[in-house]
Amino acid sequence: MNNTDRKEPNILVTGTPGVGKSLICKTLAEKTGLAWLDVSALAVENKCVESYDEVYKCPILDEDKLLDLMEDIMSKGGQIVDYHGADFFPERWFDIVFVLRTDTTILYDRLVERGYKGKKLEDNIDCEIFQTILEEAKASYRTEIVHELSSNTMDQVTENVNRICQWIEQWKLDNQK
């Protein structure tokens, strides 16, 4: 799939749970008309789940089945993909990758509010401290398409949405036929 075959870009918005991916993706979809693809929900709805992780209280994805399901969707373009991982999607799918980052004190409060505790809470905070998702994205995609965005406040969310909207407009200008 060549980027120029699509009329609209595909965007990956990734980061540790609690950094604001869904809020940004929902807002972007409303402002741009692009489709918001919540990968976790898509996987559950389409039975792309192998089992259930009792420690983390979440489904374990059948990645191959999920990727097969997503291939046609992604080839059309215009997708805002929302997922807390970056390393199993094909690089060709994305024109740009945004990794949201949040101060760990703020993230801790958000995750506790969601009911995270014990190992799940600790591991997600560690994931943010050690920049796990950012490093995963940098290892999986061309560095020039990976962008780190701070997502601590509503003002930053608004700035990030506006920045991504500007990027989308520029992509469309650059890829007109």
Side-chain angles (χ1 to χ4, degrees):
M1 170 174 46
N2 186 325
N3 296 355
T4 56
D5 294 341
R6 293 189 260 105
K7 292 188 177 13
E8 295 180 306
N10 285 329
I11 299 166
L12 174 60
V13 178
T14 188
T16 307
V19 296
K21 295 180 299 296
S22 296
L23 175 61
I24 283 186
C25 291
K26 177 180 184 281
T27 308
L28 275 173
E30 289 168 356
K31 287 186 87 158
T32 65
L34 299 182
W36 169 25
L37 202 57
D38 178 340
V39 173
S40 296
L42 184 74
V44 171
E45 287 164 15
N46 291 279
K47 297 179 178 45
C48 298
V49 175
E50 290 179 344
S51 58
Y52 190 78
D53 186 317
E54 290 300 332
V55 175
Y56 291 102
K57 305 289 184 217
C58 66
I60 297 172
L61 299 183
D62 179 337
E63 292 178 3
D64 291 335
K65 189 174 178 184
L66 179 65
L67 293 175
D68 288 346
L69 172 73
M70 291 178 67
E71 185 67 47
D72 286 343
I73 298 167
M74 297 306 293
S75 67
K76 293 177 182 115
Q79 303 300 313
I80 304 165
V81 175
D82 169 354
Y83 193 62
H84 59 263
D87 62 348
F88 71 94
F89 299 116
E91 182 178 11
R92 70 181 184 282
W93 281 2
F94 299 109
D95 300 291
I96 196 158
V97 176
F98 293 102
V99 182
L100 303 183
R101 301 291 314 282
T102 299
D103 175 271
T104 52
T105 306
I106 294 167
L107 183 62
Y108 182 90
D109 292 343
R110 289 179 187 172
L111 293 177
V112 166
E113 197 173 290
R114 286 185 177 188
Y116 284 41
K117 54 188 172 221
K119 183 169 176 51
K120 186 174 184 176
L121 176 61
E122 289 170 29
D123 286 355
N124 278 290
I125 294 297
D126 285 349
C127 184
E128 189 65 11
I129 290 169
F130 294 115
Q131 303 182 32
T132 305
I133 309 294
L134 179 62
E135 296 305 321
E136 193 178 277
K138 286 180 177 178
S140 301
Y141 305 100
R142 296 181 326 277
T143 45
E144 65 268 18
I145 72 164
V146 177
H147 301 273
E148 181 180 358
L149 300 176
S150 293
S151 184
N152 294 310
T153 65
M154 281 310 295
D155 283 347
Q156 286 177 330
V157 168
T158 301
E159 288 169 25
N160 291 338
V161 167
N162 290 338
R163 179 176 171 186
I164 296 169
C165 286
Q166 288 173 340
W167 179 88
I168 291 167
E169 290 308 309
Q170 188 60 53
W171 186 94
K172 287 179 180 180
L173 289 173
D174 293 345
N175 290 278
Q176 284 179 347
K177 293 190 176 159

